[in-house]
Amino acid sequence: MTNQYGTTQGSGAADIAAPASGFKEVLLSPGDCSGCGACTELAPDIVGWREGDERPFLVSDVAPDGVLTELMAFCPEGCFEGGDESCP
Ligand code: SF4
């Protein structure tokens, strides 16, 4: 089975044990969030927004390195940080 990132996921133990390179933990600190919505436009698979909320939430706590880099670059308030290398 192939996910939205083009990687293959399975249900075997080897899939769990094998570290995936190129993914990092996403840390969202929305304290200074201005509500611009850029993050949800940029990465809707990673960042969501519930109708009526003033702040985004994480749909996924891991993201490909490139997506995390873009979130960090495009958020005008610096709400995103990268954590540890992680498996998706
Ligand atoms: S890009 Fe940053 S400031 Fe804009 S909605 Fe997302 S977290 Fe808030």
Side-chain angles (χ1 to χ4, degrees), residues 2-85:
T2 302
N3 66 17
Q4 71 268 31
Y5 305 115
T7 58
T8 302
Q9 293 182 328
S11 57
D15 296 317
I16 296 169
S21 60
F23 282 78
K24 280 193 175 172
E25 181 182 16
V26 180
L27 303 174
L28 170 61
S29 301
D32 293 329
C33 175
S34 63
C36 70
C39 53
T40 57
E41 292 285 327
L42 182 67
D45 292 339
I46 308 297
V47 188
W49 200 296
R50 293 182 192 94
E51 191 171 326
D53 281 359
E54 296 179 3
R55 303 284 187 268
F57 68 95
L58 289 178
V59 174
S60 172
D61 59 0
V62 295
D65 282 345
V67 173
L68 177 58
T69 298
E70 288 184 338
L71 285 168
M72 293 167 62
F74 282 93
C75 175
E77 306 301 338
C79 297
F80 290 93
E81 290 182 51
D84 296 333
E85 294 281 336

